[in-house]
């Protein structure tokens, strides 16, 4: 489910080996990668950026590299929080990034959980959110970096191309 285009972050600079081109786009997980993982975050008051995240995203922004967030939000299916709560948290996340001069270009989320709402194609490691970002920004899958703190955040690189970076 796409969320409004707004502002975001990545915890540290994207590695770029000498002689290699920067990626055409970056698809990044939110919790545990850019924002502290507060486990089913419901309140905007609990949003905290990971140190260095905004500065890293700003460097990507300055290089004109789209930064796209993909995030599983099974707390919606589990009724731990609502889609309105998710949107309030996303808005606070983007506000904190904006205060540091950084932004994300798009945010996609999956509100499902297979044990509650049945299987879906969007829940990571499913490819639907990743494919939507590639499509919406007309990105070459072989020239995209997938960044996250879990296997499900970066495994898209093995199926779509590009480079998976675990942090």
């Amino acid at each position: 489910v796409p969320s409004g285009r707004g502002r975001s972050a990545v915890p540290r600079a994207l590695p770029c080996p000498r002689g290699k081109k920067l990626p055409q786009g970056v698809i990044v997980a939110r919790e545990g990668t850019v924002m502290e993982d507060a486990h089913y975050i419901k309140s905007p008051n609990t949003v905290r950026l990971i140190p260095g995240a905004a500065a890293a995203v700003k460097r990507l922004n300055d290089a004109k590299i789209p930064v796209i967030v993909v995030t599983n939000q099974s707390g919606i299916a589990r009724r731990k929080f609502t889609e309105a709560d998710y949107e309030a948290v996303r808005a606070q996340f983007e506000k904190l990034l904006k205060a540091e001069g950084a932004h994300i270009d798009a945010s996609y989320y999956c509100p499902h959980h297979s044990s509650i709402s049945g299987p879906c194609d969007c829940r990571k490691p499913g490819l639907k959110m990743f494919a939507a970002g590639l499509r919406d920004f007309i990105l070459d899958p072989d020239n995209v970096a997938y960044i996250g703190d879990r296997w499900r955040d970066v495994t898209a690189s093995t199926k779509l191309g590009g480079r998976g970076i675990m942090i």
Side-chain angles (χ1 to χ4, degrees):
V1 176
S3 195
R5 295 185 185 211
R7 310 280 173 199
S8 173
V10 177
R12 55 186 161 189
L14 180 67
C16 184
R18 199 174 294 269
K20 299 274 184 174
K21 291 184 349 182
L22 286 171
Q24 180 188 19
V26 172
I27 298 179
V28 63
R30 191 178 75 173
E31 285 86 353
T33 304
V34 180
M35 185 175 94
E36 290 181 5
D37 191 347
H39 199 61
Y40 301 118
I41 186 167
K42 177 181 181 173
S43 171
N45 298 331
T46 59
V47 175
R48 304 282 180 272
L49 296 179
I50 291 176
V57 170
K58 184 177 182 329
R59 286 192 297 273
L60 293 167
N61 298 152
D62 291 346
K64 306 286 190 248
I65 297 170
V67 179
I68 302 161
V69 168
V70 294
T71 181
N72 287 342
Q73 295 296 319
S74 69
I76 295 169
R78 296 172 195 261
R79 298 182 184 203
K80 294 192 179 278
F81 57 88
T82 65
E83 289 192 60
D85 294 330
Y86 164 79
E87 289 297 337
V89 166
R90 183 185 59 78
Q92 178 64 15
F93 169 68
E94 293 175 1
K95 180 180 175 183
L96 292 174
L97 290 167
K98 184 177 182 180
E100 295 194 42
H103 71 272
I104 61 166
D105 296 284
S107 184
Y108 301 87
Y109 72 100
C110 173
H112 309 117
H113 190 276
S114 59
S115 67
I116 298 163
S117 45
C120 70
D121 295 333
C122 56
R123 183 170 174 78
K124 294 182 290 180
L127 300 177
K128 189 173 183 178
M129 291 188 292
F130 296 103
L134 295 173
R135 179 196 65 234
D136 292 349
F137 286 86
I138 314 169
L139 300 174
D140 171 7
D142 289 328
N143 198 17
V144 170
Y146 304 87
I147 304 173
D149 67 327
R150 297 180 183 196
W151 171 84
R152 67 180 178 221
D153 301 327
V154 300
T155 191
S157 67
T158 65
K159 297 174 182 166
L160 298 174
R163 182 175 180 196
I165 301 171
M166 289 274 288
I167 59 165

